[in-house]
Amino acid sequence: MFGFLPVCLVSWSILGMSFQDLELEVPIFFQGRGTKRFLKSDLNGIRWSPVFRLYKTTFDMCCALAAMPVILLLAVLLLIVNPVLNPGPLMFVQKRMGRNRQAFYMYKFRTMLPSGDTARGPEAGLETDRITALGGFLRRTRVDELPNFINVLLGEMSVIGPRPDAIEHAEYFSQLIGHYNERFRVKPGITGLAQIEHGYADGAEATALKAMYDQRYVEASCGRLDVYIALRTIFVMASGFGAK
């Protein structure tokens, strides 16, 4: 009975909404046409124009290559200060679920004290007591996510797209939240519409809302929207909006 409660709560509060009901801060010019470019029966495909595909691939590769020297420099600095301010390994590597539900290993600068083999459950809150002082700064400024560009270079992620969840979390939410699965039509991103509009999501209800923003991006994705998300992300990094 109690295992059914999360489903009820999500259904009553979120699933009755439509992603078209979301009020975006994105100016109309940048929102795109909002037309569906895929069949509902085909969860693995999306029909982007050749021009947009070329633009997105070029943008991803240029950003990833430009980020490599910055990542290397930061890695050297963190190796120097981590023993004092953030004891533990340089990188946090976690298995995430990407396009077509394919698993990949995502790279981040570590911001929390190592937890051993204990994995955080999908409904569990963030273990803020494990975030170090330096790690908190890296998280607020999103600098911890810069190594994601390695995944972009490997073709596993895009600069703009739905933020990938851990495998166990993705499997849990994909069964609990119907529209959550729309995110798997595209590559996951370093930043996305959900990140600039909603921020960090904890638990089923917040994840269901985040998934609506992801679905809206998938169905209305275009070059203009990607440009807006990229520019808005700079503000998010500076302000710390939605960070945990």
Side-chain angles (χ1 to χ4, degrees):
M1 175 180 176
F2 293 104
F4 184 66
L5 283 177
V7 180
C8 293
L9 292 173
V10 173
S11 299
W12 291 337
S13 57
I14 298 293
L15 296 187
M17 294 173 57
S18 166
F19 79 95
Q20 286 94 346
D21 297 331
L22 294 175
E23 293 185 7
L24 300 181
E25 294 182 8
V26 181
I28 296 296
F29 173 77
F30 292 101
Q31 289 189 27
R33 295 172 296 172
T35 55
K36 298 176 183 177
R37 302 178 180 87
F38 50 80
L39 298 173
K40 278 292 182 183
S41 59
D42 176 18
L43 281 178
N44 296 325
I46 184 165
R47 297 194 181 102
W48 281 340
S49 71
V51 173
F52 181 52
R53 286 182 185 276
L54 178 62
Y55 154 79
K56 200 164 180 67
T57 300
T58 303
F59 182 73
D60 285 348
M61 290 301 103
C62 288
C63 288
L65 290 172
M68 290 303 115
V70 179
I71 294 170
L72 181 60
L73 176 61
L74 284 171
V76 172
L77 291 175
L78 289 174
L79 283 173
I80 295 172
V81 301
N82 267 2
V84 177
L85 302 177
N86 191 24
L90 172 66
M91 291 286 189
F92 173 70
V93 183
Q94 188 180 50
K95 207 171 187 180
R96 301 284 178 112
M97 189 175 289
R99 185 171 184 259
N100 298 341
R101 302 180 66 91
Q102 294 298 307
F104 70 98
Y105 287 97
M106 192 182 79
Y107 301 96
K108 296 178 63 176
F109 287 129
R110 183 184 50 80
T111 60
M112 305 173 75
L113 295 173
S115 64
D117 296 327
T118 305
R120 182 170 64 94
E123 292 287 357
L126 182 65
E127 298 167 285
T128 54
D129 58 309
R130 289 178 46 227
I131 300 175
T132 65
L134 176 58
F137 170 77
L138 296 177
R139 294 175 76 95
R140 285 192 302 274
T141 57
R142 307 308 205 275
V143 170
D144 63 317
E145 295 170 1
L146 280 177
N148 288 176
F149 281 106
I150 298 172
N151 295 109
V152 174
L153 204 58
L154 294 173
E156 298 164 333
M157 291 180 63
S158 180
V159 175
I160 312 294
R163 192 78 186 139
D165 286 329
I167 290 289
E168 296 79 7
H169 295 197
E171 290 175 343
Y172 173 80
F173 290 127
S174 65
Q175 295 187 29
L176 184 67
I177 305 164
H179 60 276
Y180 181 88
N181 293 284
E182 298 294 329
R183 61 179 21 239
F184 300 126
R185 296 181 187 275
V186 300
K187 287 182 183 180
I190 297 177
T191 185
L193 187 61
Q195 278 60 51
I196 66 169
E197 293 282 328
H198 180 55
Y200 189 87
D202 249 344
E205 190 161 341
T207 300
L209 182 57
K210 179 187 77 169
M212 282 192 179
Y213 285 108
D214 291 335
Q215 182 185 2
R216 184 148 184 173
Y217 172 77
V218 169
E219 299 208 4
S221 48
C222 66
R224 300 193 305 276
L225 182 57
D226 274 18
V227 167
Y228 179 84
I229 292 172
L231 294 175
R232 181 72 179 172
T233 298
I234 297 173
F235 167 78
V236 168
M237 291 175 65
S239 67
F241 168 77
K244 280 195 179 182

